[in-house]
Amino acid sequence: MAILNKIKELAGFETKEKVNSEAELERAECPDNNTRIIAIASGKGGVGKTNFTVNLGLSLQKNGHQTLIIDADFGMANADLVLGITPIYNLGHIIKGKCTFQEAIVAGPNNMHILPGTSGSEELINMSSIAIKRLLATSDYIENKYDFVLLDIGAGIHNDVLNFIRSADESIIILTPEPTSIMDAYSLIKIMQQKGCSHQIHFVVNQVDSMQEGELVAKKITKAVSQYLKLDIKKIGIIPFDKKLRRAVKIQQPVLLASPHTISSLKILEIADYIIEGKKTNRSRGMKGFIYRMVGLFNQ
Protein backbone atom coordinates (compact mmCIF):
# COMPACT_ATOMS: atom_id res chain seq x y z
CA MET A 1 0.00 0.00 0.00
CA ALA A 2 3.03 2.30 -0.11
CA ILE A 3 1.89 3.66 -3.49
CA LEU A 4 -1.39 4.82 -1.92
CA ASN A 5 0.38 6.83 0.75
CA LYS A 6 2.69 8.34 -1.89
CA ILE A 7 -0.30 9.40 -3.98
CA LYS A 8 -1.99 10.84 -0.94
CA GLU A 9 1.11 12.85 -0.09
CA LEU A 10 1.57 14.10 -3.66
CA ALA A 11 -2.11 15.01 -3.92
CA GLY A 12 -1.86 17.21 -0.85
CA PHE A 13 -4.12 15.14 1.41
CA GLU A 14 -3.56 14.72 5.12
CA THR A 15 -0.86 12.13 5.87
CA LYS A 16 -1.22 11.76 9.64
CA GLU A 17 -2.54 8.23 9.15
CA LYS A 18 -1.38 5.64 6.69
CA VAL A 19 -3.74 4.35 4.02
CA ASN A 20 -3.56 0.63 4.66
CA SER A 21 -6.66 -0.71 2.96
CA GLU A 22 -8.98 -0.16 0.04
CA ALA A 23 -11.72 0.75 2.51
CA GLU A 24 -9.60 3.66 3.72
CA LEU A 25 -8.96 4.66 0.13
CA GLU A 26 -12.74 4.72 -0.41
CA ARG A 27 -13.09 7.12 2.54
CA ALA A 28 -10.33 9.48 1.44
CA GLU A 29 -11.45 13.07 1.89
CA CYS A 30 -11.47 15.02 -1.35
CA PRO A 31 -12.98 18.50 -1.48
CA ASP A 32 -16.20 19.09 -3.40
CA ASN A 33 -15.47 20.18 -6.94
CA ASN A 34 -17.42 21.47 -9.91
CA THR A 35 -15.96 18.97 -12.38
CA ARG A 36 -18.13 15.83 -12.50
CA ILE A 37 -16.52 12.56 -13.59
CA ILE A 38 -18.95 10.12 -15.26
CA ALA A 39 -17.97 6.58 -16.29
CA ILE A 40 -19.89 5.18 -19.26
CA ALA A 41 -19.62 1.40 -19.49
CA SER A 42 -21.37 -1.74 -20.72
CA GLY A 43 -21.41 -5.43 -19.92
CA LYS A 44 -20.73 -6.33 -23.55
CA GLY A 45 -19.58 -4.68 -26.74
CA GLY A 46 -21.76 -3.61 -29.64
CA VAL A 47 -24.38 -1.74 -27.59
CA GLY A 48 -23.53 1.75 -28.90
CA LYS A 49 -21.56 2.92 -25.86
CA THR A 50 -19.00 5.08 -27.67
CA ASN A 51 -21.62 6.68 -29.92
CA PHE A 52 -23.70 7.46 -26.86
CA THR A 53 -20.68 8.97 -25.06
CA VAL A 54 -19.75 11.22 -27.97
CA ASN A 55 -23.30 12.45 -28.51
CA LEU A 56 -23.88 12.95 -24.79
CA GLY A 57 -20.72 15.04 -24.68
CA LEU A 58 -21.99 17.17 -27.54
CA SER A 59 -25.37 17.52 -25.80
CA LEU A 60 -23.70 18.78 -22.62
CA GLN A 61 -21.55 21.12 -24.69
CA LYS A 62 -24.64 22.37 -26.51
CA ASN A 63 -26.11 23.30 -23.13
CA GLY A 64 -23.09 25.45 -22.28
CA HIS A 65 -21.10 22.92 -20.22
CA GLN A 66 -17.48 22.47 -21.31
CA THR A 67 -16.95 18.72 -21.71
CA LEU A 68 -13.93 16.45 -22.01
CA ILE A 69 -14.17 12.85 -23.24
CA ILE A 70 -11.38 10.54 -22.11
CA ASP A 71 -11.13 7.38 -24.19
CA ALA A 72 -10.47 4.80 -21.46
CA ASP A 73 -11.07 1.71 -23.60
CA PHE A 74 -7.62 0.10 -23.65
CA GLY A 75 -8.63 -2.64 -26.05
CA MET A 76 -10.84 -0.85 -28.58
CA ALA A 77 -10.15 2.88 -28.25
CA ASN A 78 -12.27 4.43 -31.00
CA ALA A 79 -13.89 7.69 -29.86
CA ASP A 80 -11.64 9.47 -32.36
CA LEU A 81 -12.91 7.22 -35.17
CA VAL A 82 -16.53 8.12 -34.43
CA LEU A 83 -15.57 11.76 -34.89
CA GLY A 84 -13.27 11.23 -37.88
CA ILE A 85 -10.27 12.54 -35.92
CA THR A 86 -6.66 11.37 -36.17
CA PRO A 87 -4.84 12.10 -32.87
CA ILE A 88 -1.06 12.47 -32.51
CA TYR A 89 -0.75 11.93 -28.74
CA ASN A 90 -2.68 10.05 -26.08
CA LEU A 91 -2.89 9.60 -22.31
CA GLY A 92 0.16 7.34 -22.34
CA HIS A 93 2.29 10.13 -23.82
CA ILE A 94 1.24 12.47 -20.98
CA ILE A 95 2.18 9.90 -18.34
CA LYS A 96 5.58 9.36 -19.97
CA GLY A 97 6.21 13.11 -20.21
CA LYS A 98 6.34 13.10 -24.03
CA CYS A 99 3.68 15.79 -24.33
CA THR A 100 1.55 18.10 -22.20
CA PHE A 101 -2.14 17.61 -21.53
CA GLN A 102 -2.92 20.55 -23.81
CA GLU A 103 -0.87 18.99 -26.64
CA ALA A 104 -2.70 15.67 -26.32
CA ILE A 105 -6.18 17.18 -26.35
CA VAL A 106 -8.04 17.05 -29.67
CA ALA A 107 -10.78 19.60 -30.33
CA GLY A 108 -13.97 18.03 -31.62
CA PRO A 109 -17.24 19.53 -32.87
CA ASN A 110 -18.58 22.54 -30.96
CA ASN A 111 -15.20 22.74 -29.17
CA MET A 112 -15.87 19.54 -27.21
CA HIS A 113 -12.49 18.07 -26.23
CA ILE A 114 -11.22 14.50 -26.54
CA LEU A 115 -8.25 12.87 -24.81
CA PRO A 116 -7.32 9.73 -26.78
CA GLY A 117 -6.64 6.67 -24.63
CA THR A 118 -3.43 4.81 -24.00
CA SER A 119 -2.87 1.41 -25.61
CA GLY A 120 -2.77 -0.50 -22.31
CA SER A 121 -2.90 -0.28 -18.53
CA GLU A 122 0.85 -0.79 -18.03
CA GLU A 123 1.48 2.96 -17.88
CA LEU A 124 -1.01 3.31 -15.03
CA ILE A 125 0.34 0.31 -13.13
CA ASN A 126 3.99 1.32 -13.39
CA MET A 127 3.70 5.07 -12.83
CA SER A 128 6.57 6.81 -11.07
CA SER A 129 6.18 9.65 -8.58
CA ILE A 130 7.08 12.07 -11.37
CA ALA A 131 4.32 10.67 -13.59
CA ILE A 132 1.82 10.94 -10.75
CA LYS A 133 2.81 14.57 -10.27
CA ARG A 134 2.21 15.20 -13.97
CA LEU A 135 -1.31 13.85 -13.70
CA LEU A 136 -2.04 15.76 -10.53
CA ALA A 137 -0.79 18.98 -12.16
CA THR A 138 -3.07 18.20 -15.09
CA SER A 139 -6.00 17.78 -12.70
CA ASP A 140 -5.82 21.44 -11.68
CA TYR A 141 -6.14 22.52 -15.30
CA ILE A 142 -9.04 20.12 -15.90
CA GLU A 143 -10.92 21.29 -12.80
CA ASN A 144 -10.65 24.90 -13.94
CA LYS A 145 -11.55 24.12 -17.55
CA TYR A 146 -14.27 21.43 -17.64
CA ASP A 147 -17.71 20.96 -16.15
CA PHE A 148 -17.97 17.29 -17.15
CA VAL A 149 -15.44 14.56 -17.87
CA LEU A 150 -16.94 11.52 -19.64
CA LEU A 151 -14.95 8.28 -19.46
CA ASP A 152 -15.62 5.99 -22.43
CA ILE A 153 -14.72 2.71 -20.73
CA GLY A 154 -14.15 -0.68 -22.33
CA ALA A 155 -16.87 -3.34 -22.25
CA GLY A 156 -16.82 -6.25 -19.83
CA ILE A 157 -15.87 -6.87 -16.21
CA HIS A 158 -12.06 -7.02 -16.22
CA ASN A 159 -10.07 -5.02 -13.67
CA ASP A 160 -9.23 -2.06 -15.94
CA VAL A 161 -12.93 -1.45 -16.51
CA LEU A 162 -13.82 -1.79 -12.83
CA ASN A 163 -10.98 0.48 -11.66
CA PHE A 164 -12.10 3.33 -13.91
CA ILE A 165 -15.74 2.89 -12.89
CA ARG A 166 -14.95 2.87 -9.19
CA SER A 167 -12.83 6.01 -9.50
CA ALA A 168 -15.64 8.06 -11.07
CA ASP A 169 -18.37 10.09 -9.34
CA GLU A 170 -21.15 8.10 -11.01
CA SER A 171 -21.64 5.61 -13.81
CA ILE A 172 -23.98 5.03 -16.73
CA ILE A 173 -24.41 1.44 -17.94
CA ILE A 174 -25.52 1.04 -21.56
CA LEU A 175 -27.52 -2.05 -22.52
CA THR A 176 -29.82 -3.23 -25.31
CA PRO A 177 -32.93 -5.46 -25.26
CA GLU A 178 -30.86 -8.53 -26.19
CA PRO A 179 -30.93 -11.13 -23.36
CA THR A 180 -27.13 -11.38 -23.43
CA SER A 181 -26.79 -7.62 -23.02
CA ILE A 182 -29.23 -7.57 -20.10
CA MET A 183 -27.44 -10.45 -18.37
CA ASP A 184 -24.00 -8.92 -18.96
CA ALA A 185 -25.18 -5.54 -17.62
CA TYR A 186 -26.50 -7.28 -14.50
CA SER A 187 -23.18 -9.15 -14.10
CA LEU A 188 -21.24 -5.88 -14.39
CA ILE A 189 -23.41 -4.20 -11.73
CA LYS A 190 -23.01 -7.25 -9.47
CA ILE A 191 -19.20 -7.16 -9.77
CA MET A 192 -19.24 -3.39 -9.16
CA GLN A 193 -21.09 -4.03 -5.91
CA GLN A 194 -18.69 -6.81 -4.89
CA LYS A 195 -15.73 -4.50 -5.54
CA GLY A 196 -17.17 -1.85 -3.25
CA CYS A 197 -18.49 0.63 -5.82
CA SER A 198 -20.70 2.98 -3.79
CA HIS A 199 -21.70 5.72 -6.21
CA GLN A 200 -25.01 6.12 -8.04
CA ILE A 201 -25.48 3.72 -10.97
CA HIS A 202 -27.61 4.91 -13.88
CA PHE A 203 -28.54 2.95 -16.98
CA VAL A 204 -29.73 3.62 -20.52
CA VAL A 205 -31.60 1.12 -22.69
CA ASN A 206 -30.36 1.61 -26.25
CA GLN A 207 -31.47 0.43 -29.70
CA VAL A 208 -35.04 -0.53 -28.73
CA ASP A 209 -37.76 -1.23 -31.29
CA SER A 210 -40.29 0.75 -29.26
CA MET A 211 -40.51 2.72 -26.03
CA GLN A 212 -42.69 -0.06 -24.61
CA GLU A 213 -39.90 -2.58 -25.20
CA GLY A 214 -37.45 -0.24 -23.50
CA GLU A 215 -39.69 0.13 -20.45
CA LEU A 216 -40.02 -3.66 -20.16
CA VAL A 217 -36.24 -4.09 -20.28
CA ALA A 218 -35.80 -1.31 -17.72
CA LYS A 219 -38.29 -2.92 -15.34
CA LYS A 220 -36.63 -6.31 -15.77
CA ILE A 221 -33.11 -5.21 -14.86
CA THR A 222 -34.27 -2.80 -12.14
CA LYS A 223 -36.25 -5.62 -10.49
CA ALA A 224 -33.37 -8.11 -10.73
CA VAL A 225 -30.84 -5.65 -9.28
CA SER A 226 -33.22 -4.63 -6.48
CA GLN A 227 -34.24 -8.19 -5.61
CA TYR A 228 -30.87 -9.93 -5.74
CA LEU A 229 -28.35 -7.15 -5.14
CA LYS A 230 -30.47 -4.81 -2.97
CA LEU A 231 -29.35 -1.84 -5.10
CA ASP A 232 -31.33 1.10 -6.42
CA ILE A 233 -30.26 1.82 -9.99
CA LYS A 234 -31.89 4.57 -12.02
CA LYS A 235 -33.08 4.50 -15.60
CA ILE A 236 -32.19 7.83 -17.19
CA GLY A 237 -33.18 7.17 -20.78
CA ILE A 238 -34.48 4.90 -23.52
CA ILE A 239 -33.14 5.39 -27.05
CA PRO A 240 -35.00 3.82 -30.00
CA PHE A 241 -33.21 2.15 -32.89
CA ASP A 242 -32.53 4.90 -35.42
CA LYS A 243 -31.42 4.43 -39.03
CA LYS A 244 -30.20 8.01 -39.12
CA LEU A 245 -27.81 7.24 -36.28
CA ARG A 246 -26.33 4.34 -38.28
CA ARG A 247 -25.99 6.61 -41.27
CA ALA A 248 -24.15 9.14 -39.11
CA VAL A 249 -21.74 6.44 -37.90
CA LYS A 250 -20.84 5.55 -41.47
CA ILE A 251 -19.89 9.13 -42.31
CA GLN A 252 -18.01 9.50 -38.97
CA GLN A 253 -20.26 12.28 -37.72
CA PRO A 254 -22.23 12.34 -34.46
CA VAL A 255 -25.96 11.95 -35.03
CA LEU A 256 -26.56 15.09 -32.95
CA LEU A 257 -24.90 17.05 -35.75
CA ALA A 258 -25.89 14.95 -38.77
CA SER A 259 -29.58 14.68 -37.76
CA PRO A 260 -30.23 16.93 -34.74
CA HIS A 261 -34.00 16.43 -34.82
CA THR A 262 -34.08 12.65 -35.17
CA ILE A 263 -35.43 10.57 -32.27
CA SER A 264 -32.06 9.36 -30.98
CA SER A 265 -30.69 12.91 -30.86
CA LEU A 266 -33.72 14.16 -28.94
CA LYS A 267 -33.53 11.33 -26.42
CA ILE A 268 -29.83 11.93 -25.77
CA LEU A 269 -30.56 15.64 -25.23
CA GLU A 270 -33.14 14.62 -22.61
CA ILE A 271 -30.53 12.47 -20.85
CA ALA A 272 -28.10 15.41 -20.89
CA ASP A 273 -30.75 17.58 -19.20
CA TYR A 274 -31.11 14.97 -16.45
CA ILE A 275 -27.34 14.86 -15.87
CA ILE A 276 -27.07 18.64 -15.77
CA GLU A 277 -29.81 18.80 -13.14
CA GLY A 278 -28.05 16.10 -11.10
CA LYS A 279 -24.80 18.06 -11.15
CA LYS A 280 -26.46 20.82 -9.13
CA THR A 281 -27.06 18.57 -6.12
CA ASN A 282 -24.57 15.67 -6.31
CA ARG A 283 -21.14 15.79 -4.70
CA SER A 284 -18.05 15.47 -6.88
CA ARG A 285 -14.50 14.66 -5.85
CA GLY A 286 -13.13 16.40 -8.95
CA MET A 287 -10.27 15.30 -11.18
CA LYS A 288 -7.70 15.21 -8.39
CA GLY A 289 -9.88 12.82 -6.41
CA PHE A 290 -10.41 10.70 -9.52
CA ILE A 291 -6.67 10.45 -10.25
CA TYR A 292 -5.89 9.71 -6.62
CA ARG A 293 -8.33 6.81 -6.54
CA MET A 294 -7.57 5.54 -10.03
CA VAL A 295 -3.80 5.29 -9.55
CA GLY A 296 -4.29 3.70 -6.14
CA LEU A 297 -6.63 1.04 -7.53
CA PHE A 298 -4.43 0.23 -10.52
CA ASN A 299 -1.47 -0.27 -8.18
CA GLN A 300 -3.16 -2.64 -5.73
Side-chain angles (χ1 to χ4, degrees), residues 150-179:
L150 305 183
L151 306 172
D152 182 17
I153 298 175
I157 57 174
H158 51 82
N159 283 335
D160 292 348
V161 168
L162 294 167
N163 288 343
F164 273 114
I165 292 174
R166 292 160 63 197
S167 301
D169 294 317
E170 61 190 281
S171 56
I172 302 174
I173 310 300
I174 310 299
L175 66 150
T176 67
E178 296 177 8

Side-chain angles (χ1 to χ4, degrees), residues 172-197:
I172 302 174
I173 310 300
I174 310 299
L175 66 150
T176 67
E178 296 177 8
T180 53
S181 178
I182 299 170
M183 180 57 68
D184 288 342
Y186 174 83
S187 297
L188 173 59
I189 295 168
K190 181 179 180 180
I191 297 295
M192 288 167 61
Q193 182 192 49
Q194 291 174 347
K195 291 290 187 178
C197 182

Side-chain angles (χ1 to χ4, degrees), residues 123-158:
E123 289 93 343
L124 295 172
I125 294 172
N126 299 313
M127 273 203 292
S128 64
S129 295
I130 294 174
I132 294 170
K133 284 183 178 179
R134 290 193 195 105
L135 284 186
L136 290 172
T138 295
S139 71
D140 291 332
Y141 177 86
I142 291 175
E143 289 174 355
N144 290 325
K145 176 77 173 176
Y146 300 102
D147 301 302
F148 290 98
V149 175
L150 305 183
L151 306 172
D152 182 17
I153 298 175
I157 57 174
H158 51 82

Side-chain angles (χ1 to χ4, degrees), residues 1 4-5 18-28 292 297 300:
M1 289 291 175
L4 302 184
N5 294 306
K18 295 295 184 182
V19 179
N20 293 315
S21 69
E22 183 174 327
E24 291 180 18
L25 179 65
E26 292 282 346
R27 295 192 296 269
Y292 167 53
L297 290 170
Q300 287 183 10

Side-chain angles (χ1 to χ4, degrees), residues 278-296:
K279 185 177 185 294
K280 297 176 182 178
T281 56
N282 294 328
R283 180 179 182 271
S284 172
R285 290 182 297 265
M287 199 64 188
K288 183 174 286 186
F290 168 75
I291 291 172
Y292 167 53
R293 291 167 56 81
M294 178 190 68
V295 177

Side-chain angles (χ1 to χ4, degrees), residues 29 41 69-70 83 95 115 132 152 157-158 163-164 180 236 248 253 256 264 282-283 296:
E29 292 185 2
I69 293 176
I70 298 179
L83 290 163
I95 294 172
L115 175 60
I132 294 170
D152 182 17
I157 57 174
H158 51 82
N163 288 343
F164 273 114
T180 53
I236 60 171
Q253 188 175 13
L256 201 75
S264 56
N282 294 328
R283 180 179 182 271

